[in-house]
Amino acid sequence: MYPKFRLRTLTLAVASVFSVTTFAYAQTTPPETVKSTEENSQDAKAKARTGDKKTEAASKDNIQKVTISGGRTDQAERRQSTAAKIIFGREELDRNGDSNLGEVLKRLPGVTVGGRPGRGGDIRMRGMGNGYTQILLNGERAPRGFSMDSLTPDQVERIEIIRGTVAEYSTQAIAGTINIVLREEYKQKDIDLKLSMGYEQGRLAPNVSLTVPGEMGSLSYALSGSVFQNRQHDDGSTFTNEKNPAGNDTLIQNQYDQTNRKTTGIHLTPRFNYKFENGDTLMVQPFLMNSRSDSNNRSDVNATLRTQDPSITTEPFALATSASHAETTFLRGFGNWQHKFEGNSKLNIKFGGGLGKMDSNSLRYQFDKDGKQIDVISDVNNTKDSSINTGGKFTMPYGEGHTLAAGWDLEMGKRSQTRISIDNGKPQFAESGDNLDANTRRLAVFAQDEFDINPQFSAYAGLRWEGIRTSSTVGGNAIENTSSVWSPVLHGVWRIPGAGKDQIRASLTQSYRAPALNDLIAVTSISNQNSFYRPDRTGNPFLKPELSKGIDLAFEHYLTRAGIISANFFVRDINNLIRRSTDPVQVLDLVDGLYKTRQISKPVNIGHATTKGIELEAKFQLQEFFPDGPAIDVRSNYSHFWSTVDDIKGPNNRLDQQPTQTANFGLDYRPAGIPLTVGGNINWTPAYEIQSSNVQINQTGIKRQVDLYGLWKFNPNLQVRLSANNLRANDYQSGSIVNSDTLDRIDYNTSKTYTTWTLRVEMKL
């Protein structure tokens, strides 16, 4: 289906990049007589392991906040952190002029984004989606329904990628954790104003972002916000071919889909810091997000051959038109109070809460091939979420080089959902119009010790217990699910003697993946063409959490010019793997009052899986190796993943949606004598197949995304940035193949992608 020679070509190109950097590393020895700022700070830390510097670094609040002033500071914290952590600050966030955070994340080492280029998707570390990657907002779990694509880079201070679990965070992070830290306190007095205009297929997307810092006595603040509007057009087609056991065609069909969408939104992220006379500090940061989306869709079905499948309970349509409206509002509050005791001990208390409201409605008309209306389907969905959380961490130094911390987390949430689905004036399913009320409670306690055995070896040991209880009422029936997990964690860093700043990391971790609320409890989602291939979807209250044991090994070589060459190897052993299963179920059809067989998909625990991979990164300035060369910065990373699911036959019995490999390569060039920076990035994921069950194979086509930008700095207070995302705009392909005893079916989907141009003016007032 997909050409393979391109895969081999790009694989060789990426390999050559790492061969060059490895050779350069072998030929280059950092001068021992000249130390960078980072190396000096590291030496000072090694000489005063038990002093204030060590205690101060270890006793930061739960997200270990630092002030980021450039790549060197990001790299210094990465090297000094005992647990593997990569930090990307404002320089990385601003570089390409991206309109949403998903575009930034796709370039980071080991991170992939599902779905079509330019349209976002689920964020994955190590190719593992569906909840394996923990997404945090200011160190706390992001609210349900929150999408990274709805957050603009201007609202973010930095991104922290944590490859291994740590006790003070939730260990629901089999693949790792991505912590999004919202804009922090500004030290400078300047007001930042950014005006941008996006352009895609003749459609404009304006965005205005403003940050106002200030101080009033002991109170400092940063008022940040943005407003935006986006118009998009999507165009795709699906080819379907079905055959009976004799090999005869029963269905040959093409479906063409077009969607037009308009989205407007506002984000407000003010931050307030107050310092008391006794040294206590209080931070409060509200986060408000509102977005509205209106769309209309048209689907044309051209069936050149159709033999009615007896399992399909609805008449097929030839034309369908629909209009929908959705509005989402999140209000989330973050707070942190810190008190210092004598002897460098600290107590951090965090608190917060949130409200969320998601309302959507759609009206769909379906017509047969003669233009006769056969269905009018109305769907109204109203969901409300509320949550409250608190936690704390007490940190104290003891002994020689030890920093002990212990704490707790408590989070309680409630969801209320009402869905009314009407088909030709009658309810589509038994619970249509009923309320779904769900309550969740998450309680955790943890303890950890970070210590230095000697100047070359540091270690971290932690233990976390976490329990989750979910209870709900659906259609008058009470449902409850309870689970708890112990997670021991061990990290170690060995700084190789006589090898400059080189070091080796090792981690042993235990983590888990809790079933999502919609996997446990869900209002049934009805398929208008119910069949094994397009089933209804529901939840399963008997799901158990997936449990994982993991090993990480990494080598890091730090260059003198804020560069790094690293290799990371990981293994994850997973039990109680969750996959969706489709089975026939007898249900009451409220349209005619009869019981009928419908195909229903629900998640189930199917057994054991393993995944492993290697992640390579090379980030350096070309003048590191060629002092007289041009001012070019190189950014590259390459990852290769393997996985197997025991209870599904091979080949390609991989974890769901995990690609085999992915790569990024980027350059930034600053010509001498002019205030211009130009650069670009190539993001590549090859085509791959997943054996998702014993009868179904899912296919995903090659993804190649080319981004370019140019930045002109008129003066320190004014700069203009022009960027082009997804310059090649290749079609995105996906598909599935089903081979069963009763029927064979092939679905191939082709979706168009588009280039987005963005002009941004950045001013300091």
Side-chain angles (χ1 to χ4, degrees):
M1 175 181 175
Y2 306 107
K4 296 185 177 179
F5 72 92
R6 294 174 179 170
L7 184 155
R8 297 191 185 97
T9 302
L10 193 48
T11 301
L12 290 173
V14 174
S16 66
V17 171
F18 282 93
S19 297
V20 170
T21 56
T22 302
F23 173 79
Y25 161 53
Q27 299 297 317
T28 305
T29 302
E32 295 296 337
T33 58
V34 181
K35 295 186 178 181
S36 66
T37 302
E38 178 202 343
E39 188 173 356
N40 288 330
S41 66
Q42 179 64 22
D43 290 343
K45 180 182 175 183
K47 294 177 181 178
R49 298 287 179 177
T50 60
D52 292 345
K53 183 177 179 69
K54 172 65 180 178
T55 306
E56 198 67 24
S59 59
K60 293 291 183 184
D61 60 26
N62 67 308
I63 56 174
Q64 298 178 338
K65 296 181 179 63
V66 295
T67 301
I68 301 300
S69 59
R72 187 175 297 276
T73 305
D74 296 344
Q75 181 173 299
E77 182 165 348
R78 173 177 180 174
R79 181 171 182 254
Q80 295 172 10
S81 175
T82 306
K85 179 167 66 173
I86 307 173
I87 299 176
F88 298 90
R90 292 301 316 164
E91 180 182 358
E92 191 77 28
L93 292 166
D94 288 336
R95 175 181 287 116
N96 288 274
D98 300 304
S99 60
N100 64 73
L101 203 58
E103 294 297 312
V104 178
L105 290 169
K106 75 173 187 285
R107 305 185 190 100
L108 305 186
V111 178
T112 56
V113 179
R116 288 175 291 165
R119 292 296 182 263
D122 61 315
I123 306 300
R124 311 169 189 171
M125 289 181 64
R126 294 164 170 174
M128 303 167 65
N130 294 336
Y132 290 107
T133 300
Q134 178 173 236
I135 305 296
L136 301 179
L137 200 62
N138 275 15
E140 299 178 12
R141 296 182 65 81
R144 285 191 293 265
F146 174 78
S147 171
M148 282 296 172
D149 291 323
S150 64
L151 198 61
T152 62
D154 292 333
Q155 304 304 111
V156 177
E157 183 68 22
R158 68 183 184 275
I159 300 172
E160 299 175 345
I161 296 179
I162 304 172
R163 285 172 167 164
T165 57
V166 291
E168 63 182 292
Y169 291 131
S170 173
T171 53
Q172 297 185 60
I174 293 178
T177 297
I178 298 176
N179 183 30
I180 308 299
V181 180
L182 300 177
R183 292 305 289 264
E184 295 186 336
E185 177 186 5
Y186 269 66
K187 298 299 182 183
Q188 68 270 23
K189 303 295 183 180
D190 296 325
I191 296 174
D192 283 351
L193 175 64
K194 297 181 181 180
L195 308 173
S196 69
M197 180 66 71
Y199 178 88
E200 180 184 290
Q201 292 183 283
R203 296 169 175 83
L204 300 179
N207 184 300
V208 179
S209 175
L210 179 66
T211 300
V212 181
E215 291 183 346
M216 297 176 59
S218 299
L219 175 68
S220 60
Y221 59 85
L223 307 178
S224 299
S226 65
V227 293
F228 63 91
Q229 185 179 90
N230 195 12
R231 297 175 183 267
Q232 295 175 330
H233 171 80
D234 292 325
D235 196 338
S237 62
T238 303
F239 170 76
T240 302
N241 181 212
E242 292 182 358
K243 297 179 181 291
N244 60 23
N248 300 319
D249 291 327
T250 57
L251 176 64
I252 301 175
Q253 173 182 289
N254 285 286
Q255 179 171 325
Y256 304 94
D257 298 294
Q258 295 186 51
T259 300
N260 290 292
R261 184 184 309 103
K262 173 186 172 183
T263 303
T264 58
I266 181 172
H267 294 164
L268 299 176
T269 55
R271 183 182 178 99
F272 305 92
N273 292 268
Y274 187 82
K275 187 172 184 178
F276 296 89
E277 292 183 359
N278 65 351
D280 290 4
T281 58
L282 176 66
M283 182 280 292
V284 177
Q285 184 172 32
F287 171 57
L288 173 65
M289 184 191 77
N290 175 267
S291 65
R292 299 181 181 183
S293 177
D294 292 282
S295 62
N296 58 76
N297 175 270
R298 177 187 174 98
S299 298
D300 293 275
V301 178
N302 179 16
T304 57
L305 173 66
R306 185 195 300 275
T307 300
Q308 182 65 43
D309 185 340
S311 68
I312 299 178
T313 59
T314 56
E315 184 177 355
F317 66 88
L319 170 66
T321 61
S322 64
S324 62
H325 172 79
E327 181 173 358
T328 300
T329 302
F330 289 118
L331 174 61
R332 187 74 182 257
F334 304 93
N336 185 280
W337 171 73
Q338 180 177 273
H339 175 73
K340 295 182 179 180
F341 298 92
E342 293 183 2
N344 291 321
S345 296
K346 287 184 180 180
L347 176 63
N348 283 276
I349 303 292
K350 64 179 182 178
F351 52 89
L355 297 172
K357 185 179 180 182
M358 294 162 281
D359 298 326
S360 64
N361 61 77
S362 65
L363 190 63
R364 179 182 175 95
Y365 296 89
Q366 297 185 161
F367 305 88
D368 64 14
K369 61 182 179 180
D370 298 321
K372 177 184 176 182
Q373 182 176 301
I374 57 177
D375 278 303
V376 179
I377 302 171
S378 172
D379 199 317
V380 179
N381 196 335
N382 299 309
T383 301
K384 294 181 179 180
D385 278 316
S386 61
S387 65
I388 186 171
N389 65 279
T390 183
K393 183 176 73 169
F394 177 72
T395 307
M396 61 173 290
Y398 78 100
E400 294 189 9
H402 287 264
T403 301
L404 179 66
W408 76 93
D409 285 307
L410 174 62
E411 180 182 19
M412 294 182 290
K414 181 178 181 180
R415 165 171 284 197
S416 177
Q417 180 181 8
T418 301
R419 184 178 179 192
I420 303 174
S421 296
I422 305 298
D423 187 348
N424 291 329
K426 296 183 179 181
Q428 284 196 78
F429 54 93
E431 292 84 16
S432 181
D434 288 345
N435 286 337
L436 178 154
D437 292 310
N439 294 279
T440 60
R441 185 194 67 194
R442 182 173 64 90
L443 175 64
V445 293
F446 67 89
Q448 62 187 31
D449 183 16
E450 188 172 1
F451 52 97
D452 296 316
I453 298 174
N454 55 50
Q456 279 71 48
F457 186 49
S458 299
Y460 168 103
L463 179 65
R464 183 183 182 95
W465 176 87
E466 189 162 334
I468 300 176
R469 181 178 66 85
T470 303
S471 59
S472 69
T473 302
V474 183
N477 298 318
I479 299 173
E480 185 169 315
N481 183 284
T482 303
S483 62
S484 62
V485 176
W486 285 96
S487 299
V489 180
L490 183 63
H491 300 283
V493 178
W494 181 50
R495 301 172 183 90
I496 304 174
K501 294 178 286 184
D502 294 358
Q503 58 188 26
I504 295 175
R505 296 184 180 274
S507 300
L508 296 174
T509 59
Q510 186 161 303
S511 54
Y512 75 105
R513 174 197 174 200
L517 182 64
N518 285 341
D519 286 338
L520 292 170
I521 309 154
V523 173
T524 304
S525 176
I526 300 299
S527 170
N528 295 320
Q529 292 181 302
N530 183 265
S531 67
F532 176 85
Y533 316 100
R534 296 182 179 179
D536 301 341
R537 296 171 70 89
T538 189
N540 178 6
F542 303 106
L543 282 178
K544 299 177 182 178
E546 296 183 13
L547 304 177
S548 171
K549 296 180 180 179
I551 299 175
D552 289 79
L553 294 172
F555 169 75
E556 298 173 348
H557 170 64
Y558 292 86
L559 304 173
T560 58
R561 289 176 175 262
I564 184 173
I565 298 173
S566 69
N568 185 83
F569 174 75
F570 72 90
V571 178
R572 295 290 184 271
D573 185 84
I574 304 172
N575 287 304
N576 297 331
L577 184 74
I578 298 174
R579 279 283 177 90
R580 300 197 73 91
S581 175
T582 301
D583 300 289
V585 178
Q586 290 289 318
V587 298
L588 178 63
D589 191 329
L590 297 185
V591 176
D592 55 21
L594 300 177
Y595 279 92
K596 294 184 179 180
T597 300
R598 293 187 69 87
Q599 298 288 336
I600 296 181
S601 170
K602 68 177 183 180
V604 296
N605 295 106
I606 67 169
H608 173 264
T610 58
T611 181
K612 57 187 176 182
I614 185 168
E615 299 164 313
L616 306 176
E617 180 186 6
K619 183 178 180 181
F620 57 90
Q621 297 177 6
L622 190 64
Q623 292 175 343
E624 174 87 23
F625 310 108
F626 304 99
D628 297 329
I632 293 178
D633 294 345
V634 178
R635 297 168 281 107
S636 61
N637 57 77
Y638 170 78
S639 301
H640 197 113
F641 310 116
W642 298 266
S643 60
T644 57
V645 177
D646 291 355
D647 290 356
I648 297 177
K649 65 181 182 181
N652 299 318
N653 53 338
R654 305 167 55 81
L655 289 178
D656 192 28
Q657 303 178 39
Q658 186 185 50
T660 55
Q661 50 191 324
T662 183
N664 281 280
F665 182 78
L667 295 174
D668 304 301
Y669 173 52
R670 298 174 297 279
I674 57 175
L676 174 67
T677 303
V678 295
N681 190 87
I682 300 174
N683 178 265
W684 168 80
T685 303
Y688 61 94
E689 293 185 349
I690 301 289
Q691 185 80 43
S692 61
S693 71
N694 288 331
V695 298
Q696 183 168 347
I697 298 173
N698 293 328
Q699 298 177 318
T700 302
I702 187 172
K703 183 189 291 188
R704 291 165 296 189
Q705 189 166 346
V706 179
D707 303 330
L708 298 176
Y709 78 92
L711 173 65
W712 186 278
K713 295 184 178 181
F714 290 91
N715 56 59
N717 297 320
L718 176 63
Q719 58 186 27
V720 176
R721 188 186 307 265
L722 176 64
S723 60
N725 282 14
N726 192 30
L727 198 60
R728 291 193 53 164
N730 301 113
D731 289 347
Y732 179 72
Q733 296 179 315
S734 61
S736 68
I737 301 173
V738 177
N739 295 309
S740 67
D741 295 335
T742 58
L743 202 65
D744 294 340
R745 177 177 173 125
I746 297 175
D747 288 276
Y748 287 140
N749 177 268
T750 301
S751 299
K752 293 186 178 299
T753 70
Y754 309 100
T755 300
T756 301
W757 296 86
T758 304
L759 178 65
R760 174 175 295 190
V761 179
E762 304 171 8
M763 295 178 284
K764 294 184 182 295
L765 307 177

